[in-house]
Amino acid sequence: MGLLTQNNPPSIKVRLAFYMLIIPVLIFYVLAAVGCVTSSAGVPDIFNFVYRDTKISPKSPGKSSFELRTGYFGLCVGIAPQLACIPSLGVTPDQVIKEISLNVNAARSNTLSTPNVRRLLKIALDNQNKTVSYVLLAAGFFFLFGLLSLLILQITLRKAQPKPNAARKVNILKRLMLSFLWTSTALAFGASFATTQLAKILQRTSTSATSVVAESLVIEQGAGLEALQWLAAAFSFLFTTGVAWMFLDAGDRQHSMRKGNSGSDDVPEF
């Protein structure tokens, strides 16, 4: 007998515990996606990398320096905590300077127009395109498709009078749902691992003696966004594992209900 049978369904507390995992997964995905997109409170602090150039703003004890932060889909420029942020996918350094200059004072606008800032912007935008942002986005969409398939599967299982092809439909929906959820989990882990590895490469490059920009460029990874994406992957794995266990014998139970209990009200609930 499998873990899930007609006489041994998961308890309400177990089902609720697994379904509650949906909330943090969605929150983690949203926070990871909006990092550095706007200047709203807390959003500029969600970033993949921060870039500083001592030629633009020399290091000074106790004083913040000019920096550039990049998320998956946004970019922030300025001196913390006064950062101007914009969506940055597909933009050029000149477009960034033009967009941000509209929202800053004349002094800061002149700083943005210097060759060193343009060089820093080009490096940051090139690296942003390497942070597999589309992979994380795909992971989020596959997770949503998995939730939609789960909803349809639940509706199918709750039908009081199953049709002759109900078992086949349930099995198809179950496989489709799990395919979406496992693909989402794999992509989330892949994006997280790739971003972590890229951070190590960039940090080694910026401190290498043979690097052209090593004299003035400093690159650091943002711990907040890295944690968010790993948490999204981990909670997605827990949720998918729980759903796979809960629906382990869903098709068999529907088939049994159709053959031997067509008049019974004992319909499995999830």
Side-chain angles (χ1 to χ4, degrees):
M1 183 178 293
L3 290 174
L4 274 178
T5 65
Q6 274 187 303
N7 297 321
N8 185 31
S11 67
I12 294 178
K13 291 182 178 180
V14 171
R15 297 198 301 268
L16 181 61
F18 281 123
Y19 288 140
M20 287 296 289
L21 291 174
I22 295 174
I23 298 175
V25 172
L26 293 177
I27 290 175
F28 294 146
Y29 272 126
V30 170
L31 289 176
V34 302
C36 291
V37 171
T38 73
S39 301
S40 301
V43 176
D45 294 325
I46 305 174
F47 57 91
N48 263 325
F49 304 105
V50 57
Y51 301 79
R52 299 184 182 91
D53 192 330
T54 56
K55 291 182 179 179
I56 301 173
S57 181
K59 293 182 179 179
S60 178
K63 183 179 180 181
S64 299
S65 59
F66 180 89
E67 63 184 39
L68 191 156
R69 300 178 181 181
T70 58
Y72 276 114
F73 307 104
L75 177 149
C76 296
V77 177
I79 299 176
Q82 296 180 342
L83 298 169
C85 305
I86 61 169
S88 60
L89 277 183
V91 301
T92 65
D94 287 338
Q95 289 173 324
V96 172
I97 293 172
K98 181 179 179 180
E99 180 69 23
I100 293 181
S101 295
L102 298 175
N103 302 313
V104 300
N105 57 42
R108 290 174 64 190
S109 179
N110 291 335
T111 301
L112 291 174
S113 301
T114 63
N116 289 326
V117 171
R118 291 176 183 273
R119 184 193 68 168
L120 193 64
L121 281 168
K122 185 179 186 307
I123 294 173
L125 291 172
D126 288 344
N127 289 335
Q128 188 181 51
N129 293 329
K130 300 174 184 176
T131 55
V132 289
S133 56
Y134 293 110
V135 178
L136 185 71
L137 192 63
F141 277 116
F142 272 108
F143 187 77
L144 291 177
F145 293 150
L147 294 183
L148 179 61
S149 301
L150 173 59
L151 177 61
I152 297 174
L153 178 57
Q154 289 176 320
I155 294 173
T156 302
L157 286 171
R158 284 193 170 96
K159 288 183 178 179
Q161 297 185 6
K163 297 179 181 179
N165 64 343
R168 181 172 177 271
K169 182 178 180 181
V170 165
N171 283 323
I172 291 175
L173 286 171
K174 182 175 66 174
R175 293 190 182 96
L176 185 64
M177 172 194 68
L178 292 177
S179 296
F180 282 140
L181 292 177
W182 282 121
T183 299
S184 171
T185 301
L187 289 174
F189 274 111
S192 302
F193 178 78
T195 302
T196 300
Q197 291 301 112
L198 177 61
K200 295 178 180 178
I201 294 173
L202 291 177
Q203 288 170 349
R204 283 198 300 267
T205 301
S206 66
T207 57
S208 172
T210 60
S211 174
V212 177
V213 296
E215 295 180 359
S216 61
L217 180 63
V218 177
I219 303 176
E220 298 175 358
Q221 186 177 17
L225 184 51
E226 182 185 23
L228 283 174
Q229 57 191 13
W230 279 108
L231 284 171
F235 275 74
S236 180
F237 174 78
L238 291 175
F239 172 72
T240 303
T241 301
V243 169
W245 172 73
M246 286 194 296
F247 286 93
L248 184 64
D249 295 325
D252 294 338
R253 288 181 297 105
Q254 181 75 17
H255 181 67
S256 175
M257 180 182 67
R258 178 173 60 85
K259 291 183 63 176
N261 300 305
S262 58
S264 172
D265 292 331
D266 187 18
V267 181
E269 294 184 0
F270 295 94

